[in-house]
Amino acid sequence: MCNRSAIGLALLALLMWDSPLAVAGTVDERQTDWAGLSVVVGQRVRVLLPDGARIEGKATAVEVDALAIEISRSSNLKTYPKGRFLVSRATLRAVDVVVPSTKHWRIVGTALGGAIGYFALRGAINFGKTSGVGAAGLGSLAVGLPVAGYLIGNAADRRIVTYVIVQ
């Protein structure tokens, strides 16, 4: 019974632990004029176009009337295929820059998930010995928790800087 309580408290602590969950999806918004947009050149960017399509790729140049992007992903491949594309200055309102992520929260999340998974597995083994029931459910939970910790940490490591273009 003590192991189940420890597992429950550890899972509750993981769910209430706000550090990686609070910073997940953090967006830093900055305002810039067209000339200041040159900071995105060479970066991986995402742009939402007026027709609702989203393109991602590497910003290659800021020209007088357009932002040049080497498209690697597109929500509408027929209209915006992979390759060089110029986003018109008149239609461009904001550019999201995906900042290279750190490893900090992925390491913490995986380690915490592994520790909780270890105690869940120990509890499953002890529960299986005393009740005669198989421990497959808690055993799979022991494997799934480190994976979930990694995925939560991966989301927390991601940073997006949005450059809003002021005219």
Side-chain angles (χ1 to χ4, degrees), residues 23-41:
V23 297
T26 300
V27 176
D28 180 15
E29 190 172 297
R30 301 174 186 174
Q31 292 188 350
T32 185
D33 59 355
W34 189 257
L37 197 59
S38 62
V39 297
V40 303
V41 173

Side-chain angles (χ1 to χ4, degrees), residues 38 40 86 92 96 109 112 116:
S38 62
V40 303
L86 297 175
L92 189 62
D96 292 336
L112 189 59
I116 294 170

Side-chain angles (χ1 to χ4, degrees), residues 82-163:
K82 292 182 179 183
R84 184 176 161 86
F85 182 74
L86 297 175
V87 181
S88 169
R89 180 178 181 172
T91 61
L92 189 62
R93 300 285 174 243
V95 177
D96 292 336
V97 177
V98 181
V99 178
S101 62
T102 64
K103 296 177 185 176
H104 176 78
W105 290 117
R106 281 180 279 182
I107 293 169
V108 169
T110 305
L112 189 59
I116 294 170
Y118 169 74
F119 288 111
L121 186 59
R122 278 188 58 196
I125 291 170
N126 290 340
F127 179 72
K129 285 180 183 176
T130 58
S131 66
V133 177
L138 286 176
S140 62
L141 180 68
V143 172
L145 283 172
V147 173
Y150 174 83
L151 294 175
I152 291 169
N154 191 35
D157 280 336
R158 213 168 315 163
R159 301 285 186 273
I160 298 172
V161 178
T162 300
Y163 289 94

